[in-house]
PDB file of all heavy atoms in Angstrom:
ATOM      1  N   ARG A 381       6.171  -6.614  60.643  1.00 96.00           N
ATOM      2  CA  ARG A 381       5.794  -5.790  59.498  1.00 96.00           C
ATOM      3  C   ARG A 381       4.388  -6.126  59.009  1.00 96.00           C
ATOM      4  O   ARG A 381       3.618  -5.236  58.632  1.00 96.00           O
ATOM      5  CB  ARG A 381       6.811  -5.975  58.366  1.00 96.00           C
ATOM      6  CG  ARG A 381       6.563  -5.027  57.190  1.00 96.00           C
ATOM      7  CD  ARG A 381       7.635  -5.162  56.120  1.00 96.00           C
ATOM      8  NE  ARG A 381       7.349  -4.308  54.982  1.00 96.00           N
ATOM      9  CZ  ARG A 381       8.065  -4.258  53.870  1.00 96.00           C
ATOM     10  NH1 ARG A 381       9.156  -5.011  53.756  1.00 96.00           N
ATOM     11  NH2 ARG A 381       7.717  -3.461  52.876  1.00 96.00           N
ATOM     12  N   SER A 417       0.137   9.149  51.241  1.00 95.00           N
ATOM     13  CA  SER A 417       0.785   8.379  50.179  1.00 95.00           C
ATOM     14  C   SER A 417      -0.194   7.419  49.509  1.00 95.00           C
ATOM     15  O   SER A 417      -1.084   6.848  50.156  1.00 95.00           O
ATOM     16  CB  SER A 417       1.970   7.594  50.752  1.00 95.00           C
ATOM     17  OG  SER A 417       2.534   6.753  49.773  1.00 95.00           O
ATOM     18  N   LYS A 419       0.894   4.724  47.967  1.00 95.00           N
ATOM     19  CA  LYS A 419       1.546   3.418  47.913  1.00 95.00           C
ATOM     20  C   LYS A 419       0.798   2.419  48.791  1.00 95.00           C
ATOM     21  O   LYS A 419       0.012   2.788  49.661  1.00 95.00           O
ATOM     22  CB  LYS A 419       3.004   3.530  48.334  1.00 95.00           C
ATOM     23  CG  LYS A 419       3.831   4.340  47.341  1.00 95.00           C
ATOM     24  CD  LYS A 419       5.276   4.418  47.747  1.00 95.00           C
ATOM     25  CE  LYS A 419       6.094   5.212  46.712  1.00 95.00           C
ATOM     26  NZ  LYS A 419       7.511   5.341  47.100  1.00 95.00           N
ATOM     27  N   GLY A 420       1.058   1.145  48.560  1.00 94.00           N
ATOM     28  CA  GLY A 420       0.317   0.096  49.240  1.00 94.00           C
ATOM     29  C   GLY A 420       0.693  -0.087  50.698  1.00 94.00           C
ATOM     30  O   GLY A 420       1.741   0.384  51.157  1.00 94.00           O
ATOM     31  N   PRO A 421      -0.170  -0.794  51.461  1.00 93.00           N
ATOM     32  CA  PRO A 421       0.077  -0.997  52.890  1.00 93.00           C
ATOM     33  C   PRO A 421       1.388  -1.715  53.190  1.00 93.00           C
ATOM     34  O   PRO A 421       2.053  -1.408  54.183  1.00 93.00           O
ATOM     35  CB  PRO A 421      -1.133  -1.834  53.341  1.00 93.00           C
ATOM     36  CG  PRO A 421      -2.183  -1.574  52.331  1.00 93.00           C
ATOM     37  CD  PRO A 421      -1.457  -1.350  51.034  1.00 93.00           C
ATOM     38  N   TRP A 422       1.769  -2.703  52.350  1.00 94.00           N
ATOM     39  CA  TRP A 422       3.014  -3.424  52.611  1.00 94.00           C
ATOM     40  C   TRP A 422       4.212  -2.498  52.502  1.00 94.00           C
ATOM     41  O   TRP A 422       5.119  -2.560  53.332  1.00 94.00           O
ATOM     42  CB  TRP A 422       3.143  -4.597  51.639  1.00 94.00           C
ATOM     43  CG  TRP A 422       4.425  -5.377  51.801  1.00 94.00           C
ATOM     44  CD1 TRP A 422       5.464  -5.449  50.943  1.00 94.00           C
ATOM     45  CD2 TRP A 422       4.784  -6.188  52.918  1.00 94.00           C
ATOM     46  NE1 TRP A 422       6.458  -6.259  51.441  1.00 94.00           N
ATOM     47  CE2 TRP A 422       6.065  -6.729  52.664  1.00 94.00           C
ATOM     48  CE3 TRP A 422       4.149  -6.508  54.126  1.00 94.00           C
ATOM     49  CZ2 TRP A 422       6.712  -7.572  53.543  1.00 94.00           C
ATOM     50  CZ3 TRP A 422       4.807  -7.356  55.013  1.00 94.00           C
ATOM     51  CH2 TRP A 422       6.069  -7.876  54.730  1.00 94.00           C
ATOM     52  N   HIS A 423       4.237  -1.630  51.508  1.00 96.00           N
ATOM     53  CA  HIS A 423       5.339  -0.676  51.370  1.00 96.00           C
ATOM     54  C   HIS A 423       5.345   0.305  52.533  1.00 96.00           C
ATOM     55  O   HIS A 423       6.405   0.575  53.130  1.00 96.00           O
ATOM     56  CB  HIS A 423       5.216   0.067  50.042  1.00 96.00           C
ATOM     57  CG  HIS A 423       6.255   1.138  49.863  1.00 96.00           C
ATOM     58  ND1 HIS A 423       7.510   0.885  49.342  1.00 96.00           N
ATOM     59  CD2 HIS A 423       6.240   2.479  50.155  1.00 96.00           C
ATOM     60  CE1 HIS A 423       8.209   2.001  49.316  1.00 96.00           C
ATOM     61  NE2 HIS A 423       7.450   2.986  49.805  1.00 96.00           N
ATOM     62  N   LEU A 424       4.187   0.817  52.880  1.00 96.00           N
ATOM     63  CA  LEU A 424       4.114   1.852  53.920  1.00 96.00           C
ATOM     64  C   LEU A 424       4.343   1.288  55.330  1.00 96.00           C
ATOM     65  O   LEU A 424       4.606   2.063  56.253  1.00 96.00           O
ATOM     66  CB  LEU A 424       2.756   2.548  53.853  1.00 96.00           C
ATOM     67  CG  LEU A 424       2.498   3.331  52.550  1.00 96.00           C
ATOM     68  CD1 LEU A 424       1.083   3.887  52.542  1.00 96.00           C
ATOM     69  CD2 LEU A 424       3.514   4.459  52.379  1.00 96.00           C
ATOM     70  N   SER A 425       4.260  -0.010  55.483  1.00 95.00           N
ATOM     71  CA  SER A 425       4.499  -0.594  56.805  1.00 95.00           C
ATOM     72  C   SER A 425       5.977  -0.542  57.198  1.00 95.00           C
ATOM     73  O   SER A 425       6.322  -0.859  58.339  1.00 95.00           O
ATOM     74  CB  SER A 425       4.023  -2.053  56.833  1.00 95.00           C
ATOM     75  OG  SER A 425       4.775  -2.844  55.927  1.00 95.00           O
ATOM     76  N   ARG A 426       6.834  -0.117  56.258  1.00 95.00           N
ATOM     77  CA  ARG A 426       8.256  -0.043  56.558  1.00 95.00           C
ATOM     78  C   ARG A 426       8.784   1.369  56.328  1.00 95.00           C
ATOM     79  O   ARG A 426       9.917   1.570  55.889  1.00 95.00           O
ATOM     80  CB  ARG A 426       9.013  -1.041  55.686  1.00 95.00           C
ATOM     81  CG  ARG A 426      10.373  -1.424  56.246  1.00 95.00           C
ATOM     82  CD  ARG A 426      11.048  -2.472  55.384  1.00 95.00           C
ATOM     83  NE  ARG A 426      12.334  -2.861  55.944  1.00 95.00           N
ATOM     84  CZ  ARG A 426      13.166  -3.727  55.395  1.00 95.00           C
ATOM     85  NH1 ARG A 426      12.835  -4.330  54.252  1.00 95.00           N
ATOM     86  NH2 ARG A 426      14.316  -4.017  55.956  1.00 95.00           N
ATOM     87  N   THR A 427       7.993   2.333  56.647  1.00 96.00           N
ATOM     88  CA  THR A 427       8.403   3.731  56.521  1.00 96.00           C
ATOM     89  C   THR A 427       8.790   4.285  57.892  1.00 96.00           C
ATOM     90  O   THR A 427       8.527   3.669  58.931  1.00 96.00           O
ATOM     91  CB  THR A 427       7.267   4.572  55.930  1.00 96.00           C
ATOM     92  OG1 THR A 427       6.119   4.452  56.790  1.00 96.00           O
ATOM     93  CG2 THR A 427       6.907   4.106  54.531  1.00 96.00           C
ATOM     94  N   THR A 430       5.560   4.794  60.233  1.00 96.00           N
ATOM     95  CA  THR A 430       4.961   3.604  60.855  1.00 96.00           C
ATOM     96  C   THR A 430       5.912   2.930  61.837  1.00 96.00           C
ATOM     97  O   THR A 430       5.478   2.395  62.864  1.00 96.00           O
ATOM     98  CB  THR A 430       4.554   2.589  59.770  1.00 96.00           C
ATOM     99  OG1 THR A 430       5.674   2.328  58.916  1.00 96.00           O
ATOM    100  CG2 THR A 430       3.401   3.128  58.930  1.00 96.00           C
TER     101      THR A 430
END
Side-chain angles (χ1 to χ4, degrees):
R381 186 176 177 183
S417 175
K419 293 181 179 178
W422 178 249
H423 176 86
L424 296 175
S425 64
R426 202 177 181 182
T427 58
T430 53

